[in-house]
Amino acid sequence: MRTIAFLIPALLLAACSQPASPPEPAADAPPPMTGATPAEAAASTTPDAVAAPQAAAEHAKDVAAAPADASSPVEPAADDARARIETLLGDAAQYEKVFNAFKAAVVAGDRPAVVEEVRFPLNISGGKKITGPGEFQRNYEKIITPAVVKAVSAQEFGKAFVNQQGVMIGDGQVWLNGQCLDKACTRTEVKVITIQ
């Protein structure tokens, strides 16, 4: 009984301790986006039919596992996604601009504007790819489903899930990521890379 009385405070202390935050990247570190060619960039950073649901499941598990502490705010700070993007992916303002343009186009049903925010080949559900704007337009209703519209319209940029694969909208219905436009990766382009 005496051992239990000793262990309980030790276990409570261990459970309440916070892990050390990860070190900041070096100031001269290269941007996190890789791939000198579009094919290399797509192959190395595009979430596939397996990875996207796994990331969505990880996100849901992280949210469910978060402790409900009355002293901490329930809502995450509005710039949480921005900070994660800056750390993992690069220029958060560029991601936010594409996110807002894509969301406005999807909600308005503006097909040409939706196409402007998409990188081809576009990954879609079932591990398939859409090769260009014409094929996208012909299959628009099959790609931009009511579930996709609902997920996009409900998503707030500051609360988006972010990992090395990009920015996730909803539960993995849409992914955005950047691509280097030159070998030094001094210029990048953010686009929608997956819709499922």
Side-chain angles (χ1 to χ4, degrees), residues 55-68 74 76 159-161 168 171:
E58 288 173 18
H59 174 61
K61 186 170 69 174
D62 290 346
V63 169
V74 176
K159 296 178 183 177
F161 175 76
M168 181 177 80
D171 291 324

Side-chain angles (χ1 to χ4, degrees), residues 11-159:
L11 291 172
L12 288 173
L13 182 59
C16 292
S17 65
Q18 298 289 330
S21 59
E24 291 293 320
D28 61 346
M33 292 181 246
T34 60
T37 67
E40 290 172 345
S44 66
T45 61
T46 301
D48 57 26
V50 174
Q54 288 174 344
E58 288 173 18
H59 174 61
K61 186 170 69 174
D62 290 346
V63 169
D69 182 5
S71 65
S72 66
V74 176
E75 297 290 324
D79 62 345
D80 277 356
R82 290 170 190 85
R84 289 190 306 271
I85 290 168
E86 290 288 340
T87 302
L88 295 172
L89 303 171
D91 183 14
Q94 190 177 15
Y95 280 84
E96 187 168 15
K97 179 181 174 186
V98 172
F99 173 91
N100 289 335
F102 181 75
K103 181 176 180 176
V106 167
V107 171
D110 185 348
R111 292 178 181 207
V114 171
V115 170
E116 286 297 315
E117 303 307 324
V118 171
R119 179 180 304 126
F120 296 99
L122 172 70
N123 297 310
I124 61 170
S125 57
K128 298 176 185 172
K129 294 192 182 291
I130 298 294
T131 58
E135 184 181 2
F136 184 88
Q137 292 288 10
R138 286 189 301 276
N139 294 288
Y140 187 87
E141 288 83 13
K142 294 176 186 172
I143 300 167
I144 306 295
T145 63
V148 169
V149 174
K150 182 178 178 182
V152 170
S153 62
Q155 183 68 60
E156 294 178 35
F157 182 75
K159 296 178 183 177

